[in-house]
Amino acid sequence: MLESPGACGADIAVGEGQPLGLPLSWGGPYLGFMAASQSLMRRLPGRIVGETRDSRGERAFVLTLQAREQHIRREKASSNVCSNEALCALTASVYLSLMGPDGLRQVGEQCHAKAHYLAAELCRLPGVSLRYPGPFFHEFVTDLPEPQKVLSALESRGILGGWPVEGGLLWCATEKQSRAELDEAVSIVKEVLDR
């Protein structure tokens, strides 16, 4: 459905592999991917350190990418306590093998169609608009009044709503949602905005 990053002129592409057959699992473990053009393949880093905030809001650093216990020699390693990204990669490989190119295309088409349907239905409601007018795949941001009340109402009915962003919500629709579920979410948003 989309052109490859290389066809768009990118030398390096990174992405999230969770949608490739991995359950939500309360936030992980997941896998990401990093791809590079042939000329850069041997120049990718073996370790990437990311900056984040801990539960107290203090600055913290995390090993975002590393080979297992890469920072010490295998024969001197004293633990194997780590998440097993290889298991996640195997799960994604099985998913991709079972889906095949046609199945993966169908999933992509469903995600795209359902997200655009949801966006159109939400934007019919007074006060709701798309924040960004450009194309999107299965995630989009709407500006709307009282996003926290909308999220609370959705949650009270068993629906995991969008992610709060300043003045709005980031929504996502995938192949897993039915038309009835999308319509129910829109109906709840309408109830909140009509109050």
Side-chain angles (χ1 to χ4, degrees), residues 122-123 125 127-132 141-144:
L122 287 168
C123 289
L125 303 176
V128 181
S129 62
L130 278 179
R131 181 171 293 180
Y132 306 107
V141 176
T142 58
D143 289 312
L144 72 164

Side-chain angles (χ1 to χ4, degrees), residues 100-167:
D102 291 336
L104 199 57
R105 176 176 269 289
Q106 287 174 20
V107 167
E109 288 169 351
Q110 283 191 38
C111 290
H112 184 265
K114 289 177 180 183
H116 282 262
Y117 173 79
L118 178 60
E121 292 301 306
L122 287 168
C123 289
R124 289 181 207 268
L125 303 176
V128 181
S129 62
L130 278 179
R131 181 171 293 180
Y132 306 107
F136 61 91
F137 179 60
H138 70 257
E139 293 180 336
F140 59 93
V141 176
T142 58
D143 289 312
L144 72 164
E146 305 190 75
Q148 227 27 74
K149 284 186 179 178
V150 168
L151 286 178
S152 295
L154 289 166
E155 184 180 359
S156 72
R157 305 270 278 280
I159 297 174
L160 178 61
W163 183 258
V165 295
E166 190 175 322

